Amino acid sequence: MTGATGRADTFKIVFQSDRIPDTSFTARFQIYVMNSDGSSVGQLTFADTARDSLTNHVKDTTSNFHPVWSPDGTKIAFASTRDTNPQIFVMDPNGSNVVRLTHNSAEDAQPAWSPNGTKIAFATNRDGNDEIYVMNANGSAQVNLTNHTGSDLAPAWSPDGTKLAFQSDRETNYASGS
């Protein structure tokens, strides 16, 4: 089961939701975990709920999104705007020990763990257009894999970890690429 870890009777699903939206401002996503039967929903990331005294809008516009389990279930990689533009972070399954992996002025998102858990592929626009990069699971050795004028997004590893599939608009409107 994608996005799950554990025994068949204790699968956990990690997901993003704007389930408590502030309709007076753009939706802000937070990350949650629940059992595969929908029970025991727990929130892992939280926005600061302080409000502007003049507009009554929530001041914190942070979104946390694109959560994905590490293959061994000990970490969750995700994207977040907590430091302004979207970057890649990892955290423990209970939401603690958050570590920022990418540090640049571009938008980094859509993390995808390699099957052995040593690499994370992600989409970024740091080269002026959307590209697929790969880095070590600790954020080091970030390398551009696609390096093309087309927009490349949504990386997904092959089961053996030797290939990446991705979405691209190189020849048509987002035909599959590999």
Side-chain angles (χ1 to χ4, degrees), residues 119-170:
K119 305 273 186 196
I120 298 173
F122 62 99
T124 180
N125 64 1
R126 63 179 68 177
D127 297 322
N129 68 311
D130 296 317
E131 301 284 2
I132 303 299
Y133 271 60
V134 172
M135 63 183 164
N136 291 331
N138 67 3
S140 66
Q142 297 178 20
V143 177
N144 181 341
L145 292 184
T146 53
N147 198 22
H148 191 274
T149 57
S151 181
D152 301 326
L153 297 165
W157 292 88
S158 64
D160 66 2
T162 62
K163 296 179 182 77
L164 274 167
F166 57 91
Q167 173 183 318
S168 181
D169 71 349
R170 292 177 181 197

Side-chain angles (χ1 to χ4, degrees), residues 44 75 90-98:
L44 301 180
K75 294 286 182 192
V90 293
M91 66 181 162
D92 290 346
N94 64 2
S96 66
N97 298 316
V98 175

Side-chain angles (χ1 to χ4, degrees), residues 55-159:
T55 65
N56 201 34
H57 291 170
V58 173
K59 292 179 185 179
D60 185 354
T61 59
T62 298
S63 279
N64 297 284
F65 50 97
H66 299 155
V68 60
W69 288 107
S70 63
D72 65 3
T74 62
K75 294 286 182 192
I76 297 169
F78 65 102
S80 178
T81 60
R82 63 184 61 205
D83 295 330
T84 67
N85 60 309
Q87 297 292 300
I88 306 294
F89 294 77
V90 293
M91 66 181 162
D92 290 346
N94 64 2
S96 66
N97 298 316
V98 175
V99 176
R100 183 174 171 176
L101 299 182
T102 59
H103 300 267
N104 62 76
S105 60
E107 296 179 2
D108 299 337
Q110 303 176 343
W113 290 92
S114 64
N116 66 8
T118 62
K119 305 273 186 196
I120 298 173
F122 62 99
T124 180
N125 64 1
R126 63 179 68 177
D127 297 322
N129 68 311
D130 296 317
E131 301 284 2
I132 303 299
Y133 271 60
V134 172
M135 63 183 164
N136 291 331
N138 67 3
S140 66
Q142 297 178 20
V143 177
N144 181 341
L145 292 184
T146 53
N147 198 22
H148 191 274
T149 57
S151 181
D152 301 326
L153 297 165
W157 292 88
S158 64

